[in-house]
Amino acid sequence: MTRFIQTSACRGLRPTDVGAAHLLPRPHLVSRLMANREALRVITAPEGFGKKSLAVSYAELAFEFAHVFWIRGESPCLLREIDNGEVASAVLKCDKKAALVVIADVPALSEERAARLEGEIRALLAAGCEVVATVSPTRDTLTARFPDAVVVDGGALMVGEREDDEDRAHGGGRGRPLTLDRRIPCLRWAERGAENLAQGLAHEDLPPVLALASWAMLCIGKGSLADLGALEPSDADASFLASSFPYLGIDEAEGTFAAATVPLEVARRFLAGRLGELAGAAGLASADEAAALMASCALKVGKSRRAARLMEALASRRAVSQWLMREGWQLLAARAAGEVLALYEIITRTRIAERPRLNAMMAWAWAQQGARAQAIDYARRALGAADGPAEVRLAAALAAHDQGNAAVREEMENELALWMAAEEPLVVAARDVAPVLRTVVACVLCRRLGTLALDQWDRYAPTSLSFGDASPLEIELMLYGAALALEDLEARGLLAQEGADAALLCQAPLVRLVALCQRALGELLARKLPLGFGALRAASALERADGPLTVAGLGPLSTPVAVALAEAWADEGAHRAEPRKLRRPSGAPAGHASRSNRAIDEATAHLAALPHPAVPEAAGTPLLRLRLFGTLEVRRGDADLSRAFHNRKKVRLLLALLVLHRGQELTRDRLVQMLWPATNPRTGSKNFYRLWQDLWNILAIGDRCPYLIRDQYGCRLDAALFTSDVEHLERLTRHLLFGAPGDAVAWEQTLYDIQESFSAPLLPSELRNEVVARYRDRYASSLVDGLIAASARLLSQGESRGALWFAREARARDGRREDVLACLMRAQMAADQRTAALETYFLCRDFLAESLGLDPSPEMAELYQQLIDGRPLAAHGR
């Protein structure tokens, strides 16, 4: 008998590697294991599904760990015992009453060892000893060898409606739909559920191509299997992945996947180190090629921002440079300007042959961010290159024209007019967008030519465009040109809600333009692509003019487009009261703001009426709860994110500044000044983008972060998605200061709340930041003001005991204020504590004399005189 088997005996004790904290009662699954106790029970599922927890629950319920052996499969000793054929004999020799053997985490076994383990298990079953084995899907050789085995797979371990209802009954997950994330045990109940899933996938013995496909699905989130390209699994492989790895969310009938939410930073931690090995085994040249392949898959399914972050996380600088040059315009078409700028920061010191092309791309990225100066600067760099190709000069000039003042626009129109006159051909790579680019340029030059942009659009727009063959970039450029034509009409007052030009509304050019926009927008939605920069601008222009257009029979926006437009506005942070510039160009009448706000409400109503809401943030986003007084605490729903901020002082500070401003918008320059007051703006801006990305990664839910909003106007936290103890303190202080005298306030509970929640100052470890220091002093002072007011109110109600306690709390927080000491003296006199009141007076007198050279105020002197004369405390109004 070996020592390994001896130490595996539980002897009435729970296994040390599965503590009580990891166990959840799942009686329906335990009952399933008890249905046939004479057969082998196999629990096969990925990491994070609670295989060992279920086995422990069964062992505890059925045997209370008496005569139970817990054999750890990860130990090499098990392989030795299998090779020696001594597992069953050693168990029975160690305990003649052995009742249950659990083989936890069966390792990968060769065919010979699998056959030997089968013999050992059959010997145990024949001796009347039950056997339960837990194993990952790729290492499960037991199910095929035991046809009568009771199998509990990953699908059975998923959280069902019954368990969800039980959780709701106990207050857990109220109001949340039973999504895939909430059906996976570790994502629902464990603190590091995403890490469990990613670590488990990294340890699975999958073929390299299937491993890469699984990682791609996990990193991308959702899409079509066919869009995975070279990584697309065969039907048989897709069926295996669907049954063995439920968290991938594969729908075999539809050929789609909708994987569980795993932050990209978590996936990178477990994938980056072995991506090269997997790529080589799968026939790819390098890890960079694998990363680019996964990013391209994300682009195909409309996950442009995710694609950019995939490259940022997994690829080398050289690969990022090549990929950005190849896919950058598509990213910009999908409004992923922030991600383009982040990639540019990575490669900014890399040697790039086509620097003018990259500068033109950066000009448009900054233009989408609303950074006028940077957009014009990069545009001039691109235009200044003597050998710059035609499409580079065009893109740069259009970006500068979009962001420039009158002088810059005139300069850029000269450049565009020269190109239109020469009709210089574009390179082959951009030939598909040449016709629509010419249309855009013609619309930009309309005022220079003295015509309507609509006439220019009608003259140059391609008449035989096939939407099925058009690239997303081509569709976005076409819609951008249409948006320019509509905005020109709007700026001239021809599409006003009242007084629209009736003759214009009936003309064929406008009818064709509106019809083309509606078809193009419908095509983007059919492809499940987001509304890009051109589509968003065109849909917004149509929405503003939908009154006159509907009267003319051109119809309002369809419900799907209205919903997509509302999504895009929310994504851009455009649900502020003031409409975005994107929706109201400089020439448009300001009166359209109310119309845009009304349209948002209507689109939101459409969202509520749909059976499957298109904006999951509204109902499915967990609330962010933050604590800034004392130790920083950050909780997202049930998940504690506080540990992620350890050793990240600047990230903590950025989050605190956003919280302290209560969801108000702060410009990037203002934030940079608060974070790095002594740093030059350029260096500060670079640091800020890295800091913002770090905070985004920590707070992100999968490939989105609904809490953080950054656009061309500034940065902020979504006020609807977070609460903080700062808000609680402000409400508490207002109540203390302005509560009506007759209020029936439970002052004991209020005081307890103050002492428990706000015993420590605001961010006590942040000692050097002036903004935090100002807020810290402000909140400390306002709370003391509130305590004094509450003490006076309680005194007027005859609650001398409560008044005294509030006065003492004020004194404990600031004993150098004369009004605090006067409040305390008054409360002590009311409580008949005459000696204590005298001591308070002398303390105040000595402090004022020594520190400021002043005498006590007349109010304090009057209190002292009342005390000496033995007169009753005079009524005090404040």
Side-chain angles (χ1 to χ4, degrees), residues 181-227:
D181 282 2
R182 290 187 54 75
R183 294 197 64 206
I184 298 170
C186 64
L187 293 183
R188 183 176 181 122
W189 292 315
E191 289 186 9
R192 296 181 170 273
E195 286 89 339
N196 289 347
L197 284 188
Q199 186 177 30
L201 180 56
H203 293 161
E204 292 287 351
D205 298 322
L206 282 167
V209 174
L210 281 189
L212 283 176
S214 301
W215 279 112
M217 286 184 264
L218 209 58
C219 290
I220 294 170
K222 63 173 62 177
S224 169
L225 292 174
D227 289 327

Side-chain angles (χ1 to χ4, degrees), residues 604-617:
T604 304
H606 284 309
L607 276 172
L610 291 176
H612 299 285
V615 185
E617 290 86 353

Side-chain angles (χ1 to χ4, degrees), residues 300-480:
K300 289 180 184 177
V301 300
K303 298 279 188 178
S304 302
R305 291 185 172 92
R306 188 74 166 180
R309 290 196 289 270
L310 267 169
M311 290 300 295
E312 184 179 359
L314 299 175
S316 65
R317 284 189 179 185
R318 180 181 178 85
V320 168
S321 173
Q322 295 171 347
W323 189 82
L324 181 60
M325 294 298 295
R326 186 171 66 251
E327 307 289 2
W329 290 113
Q330 187 171 340
L331 293 174
L332 290 175
R335 306 195 329 273
E339 284 69 21
V340 170
L341 291 171
L343 293 180
Y344 178 75
E345 286 293 324
I346 293 175
I347 66 171
T348 186
R349 293 180 179 84
T350 304
R351 189 166 186 173
I352 301 172
E354 298 184 76
R355 181 65 68 173
R357 190 181 301 277
L358 184 62
N359 285 336
M361 194 181 295
M362 291 308 106
W364 266 112
W366 284 115
Q368 285 191 24
Q369 295 290 91
R372 298 175 180 271
Q374 291 93 329
I376 295 171
D377 176 47
Y378 276 92
R380 291 192 188 283
R381 295 185 198 180
L383 290 168
D387 57 345
E391 71 274 7
V392 168
R393 297 202 306 275
L394 272 179
L398 286 172
H401 187 277
D402 185 72
Q403 294 292 307
N405 56 21
V408 173
R409 290 190 176 201
E410 183 178 1
E411 178 188 351
M412 296 305 142
E413 286 174 5
N414 292 335
E415 180 74 29
L416 296 172
L418 288 174
W419 179 81
M420 284 290 284
E423 293 190 349
E424 184 178 347
L426 303 179
V427 298
V428 175
R431 187 174 294 163
D432 60 332
V433 300
V436 286
L437 259 181
R438 187 170 287 107
T439 305
V440 170
V441 174
C443 291
V444 169
L445 295 175
C446 65
R447 291 186 181 269
R448 184 187 185 98
L449 299 174
T451 63
L452 294 175
L454 177 63
D455 295 334
Q456 295 294 98
W457 180 89
D458 196 51
R459 176 183 176 186
Y460 288 98
T463 56
S464 59
L465 182 65
S466 171
F467 285 100
D469 298 332
S471 67
L473 178 59
E474 188 178 7
I475 295 175
E476 292 292 345
L477 281 171
M478 180 177 52
L479 286 167
Y480 179 56

Side-chain angles (χ1 to χ4, degrees), residues 701-716:
I701 304 174
D703 60 351
R704 64 188 180 91
C705 183
Y707 309 103
L708 293 177
I709 297 173
R710 177 167 67 88
D711 54 35
Q712 65 196 57
Y713 290 97
C715 310
R716 64 189 176 93

Side-chain angles (χ1 to χ4, degrees), residues 138-153:
T138 55
R139 297 174 179 175
D140 181 13
T141 59
L142 297 175
T143 302
R145 293 178 174 273
F146 290 85
D148 59 340
V150 175
V151 179
V152 179
D153 60 11

